[in-house]
Amino acid sequence: MNKLFYLDSLNQKQKEAVETLKGPVLVLAGAGTGKTRVLTTRLTHILNKKLAKPWEILAVTFTNKAANEMKKRVQELLKIDIERLWIGTFHSSGLKILRKYSELCNLKSDFTVIDTDDQLRLIKQILEAEKIDLKKWPASNILWMIQWFKDKGAMPEQAKKMKFRFEKGINICKLYNEYQKRLQILNAADFGDLLLLPVKIFRENKDILKSYQNQFKFILVDEYQDTNLCQDIWLKFLSKQHQNICCVGDDDQSIYSWRGADVKNILTFEDSFKNVKIIRLEQNYRSTHHILAAASGLIQNNQDRLGKTLWTKSQKGEKVKLSFYEDGKDEAKNISLKIEELKLKKIKLNEIAILIRASFQTRLFEDRLLKIGIPYRVIGGFRFYERLEIRDAIAYFRIVHKNNDDLSLERIFNTPKRGLGTATLQVIYKLARDANITLLDASKKIIQTDELGANARNSIKKFIEDIDRWKTKINKINHIELAKIILEESGYSKMWLNNKSIEAPGRLENLKELISALRDFSNMNEFLEHISLVMENERNYKLDMVNIITMHSAKGLEFENVFLAGWDEGLFPHQKSLEEKGNESLEEERRLAYVGITRGKKNVFISFAKKRFIYGTWNYSQPSRFLSELPKKNIDTDEDFFQDEDSLIVDEYEYKNRKKNLNRLLFRHKESLTDNKNSFEAEYKFKIGDEIFHEKYGYGKIKYIVDGKYEIIFDRLNETKIVLENFIKSV
């Protein structure tokens, strides 16, 4: 039997990546080029040639699944015991080291690794002890800041020297230091510590570092583009002795900067090591020629990349299909019709995916697919109607329209906080059971007694009065306005508005999208029946379902048919991202588009809507700038799509020469638009001249309104910015 049989199935470049064993190697593995096979085969090759013993090889991945698959494949190929192989995630490998030398970090060897919930509880305790307002400084925000330092490889003493953009009024370094002290007292570490503390050990104990450097003759790294700075420091420490490090990744698929990933690690790999060998895997085994050409043409517009061009032997396949629709509902309808056509052609629903940029987009697709009876799943997140804030809001709507809904009342009884705890609810429960009445009726009875304290009775009384008042409005105003009133007067919207946590803005956006959803129903009862069908739908459907996924969650997945919905400027690339980091974010958004396109194996459908009803407001859009960057020869669309001056793609020169504000282009005809009697200004929440407040830029005045966006001159900046409606408040 051929001893190197495992090389037979590899192409020339893959073989080169496997057989180049000496010195640092960077394998730029494009989407669908077989990177997992290369990594596994390289590990097999090292063991088979007896260049290292199992414990002298370190292989790190980002998921346990990837690590287990690598172990299984190596075992199948070589039929050897792999128990002593160092194959695992970054965190599991770091944990091994930390367990062995825990005392150097003032921890016992049996220390506990705490999860996010425990981290938040610990931070809350610290904030309370420091008399810091938890509403102004939520524990989740403090945790994010601490994690930012850990991702950079910085202990508290090093964090003091680092530049970090956060609001004045809080000493984050002090809180970070206190947090680490509390962890030591508890004999605990968090996930960030599993890399940070080994780095600390290596920095302070050269003998320990030397022993690991000598041990690991070969190091293999998967998904290198997703590493943070701390992980990169850890890898460079361990590889310094032998320099036989092979990192496999794709700079064009670096899309997780918000999670700490730093694309500079892969971009500067050649600067970090001497005599680096760069091997490009460009032959794709997943997608058609047109899909690859479209993706390659798009990503070439990025400046910060190492460069490669995907290709396939097969020249067959359909062009990427580009469609534009009147609005979001029209988009959802037509995409669902195409899905029905695919289903009739015996295409499995599992092989169909709808990829979106923002989570609020799921709602229209969910409603439409349910209506036509096509099962679906939301990957990487909750279905729209399953999200906490949506369930809470629906509970409010139910209790107003259905008196006997005890579950709904229980859910919102103390949400937002009314001083009504579990003990109070138990008393009401007992009365309801004994008298065989609803919780709402029991609540009305209990306030007539002295069984509860005065504060509790007054809170319940006000809550009941609110419910009764809302009930009187059912036949007087439309269900949409009533829903807004309920959420405002209950204090529920205000609760999230005042919440400073990272997830709060997203929850508010979803509530606005819920209000938008009500427009599709003639009354509230019809809507609530629809919700019941949605929930029942999930229980009854089998495994073959259409996949609805955000593009961030789609990385690593593949489908025969991919629908890329919502390629509207401001939605994709996302306006908030552009405002925060400018061109750096633009390039990451373009990488995200590249990831989206390369998920498709046979067919890719991209769509744009001229307008969208987002958070209660019509937003008039231009097509995403990414559409103009797609090679026309690989695109199938109406010829007019690229020629309609009023509503579609602007020319390449204008895009490349825009100034600092990437949306300035939208306002090139602002004078004529805002003076026009047919302007859409009347449909917007704010008007020209209104004074507003923006969390980042402060107070300002609206100068112009065009295509759902506001040009505002801000007092503090003495300059104009262009922002979306949901980021400003009236004053």
Side-chain angles (χ1 to χ4, degrees), residues 558-623:
E558 59 182 47
F559 306 91
E560 285 190 7
N561 301 277
V562 169
F563 293 87
L564 300 170
W567 282 44
D568 317 351
E569 190 71 16
L571 178 56
F572 191 46
H574 202 283
Q575 179 67 19
K576 189 177 180 181
S577 294
L578 300 185
E579 287 180 353
E580 288 178 351
K581 292 185 179 179
N583 194 63
E584 185 181 331
S585 287
L586 175 60
E587 294 218 342
E588 181 155 329
E589 291 281 295
R590 190 176 283 112
R591 292 195 292 269
L592 189 57
Y594 174 85
V595 167
I597 294 172
T598 54
R599 297 313 92 195
K601 295 193 288 186
K602 291 185 177 180
N603 292 293
V604 170
F605 306 84
I606 303 176
S607 55
F608 152 75
K610 292 182 182 179
K611 61 180 181 179
R612 287 184 193 276
F613 196 75
I614 304 176
Y615 314 140
T617 304
W618 280 109
N619 287 264
Y620 294 81
S621 309
Q622 286 194 344

Side-chain angles (χ1 to χ4, degrees), residues 671-685:
E671 297 292 345
S672 61
L673 282 168
T674 51
D675 292 338
N676 193 327
K677 291 182 180 180
N678 295 320
S679 165
F680 298 117
E681 183 192 343
E683 297 186 57
Y684 299 135
K685 183 178 178 180

Side-chain angles (χ1 to χ4, degrees), residues 276-316:
V276 172
K277 180 72 176 272
I278 297 180
I279 300 169
R280 289 171 169 82
L281 303 185
E282 297 174 306
Q283 185 176 354
N284 178 280
Y285 296 92
R286 175 189 299 162
S287 307
T288 66
H289 162 70
H290 288 297
I291 292 173
L292 297 178
S296 295
L298 173 71
I299 201 62
Q300 283 171 14
N301 289 276
N302 272 7
Q303 299 300 310
D304 291 334
R305 63 188 295 263
L306 296 170
K308 65 182 171 309
T309 302
L310 299 182
W311 62 276
T312 179
K313 285 184 176 180
S314 175
Q315 296 298 307
K316 297 179 180 178

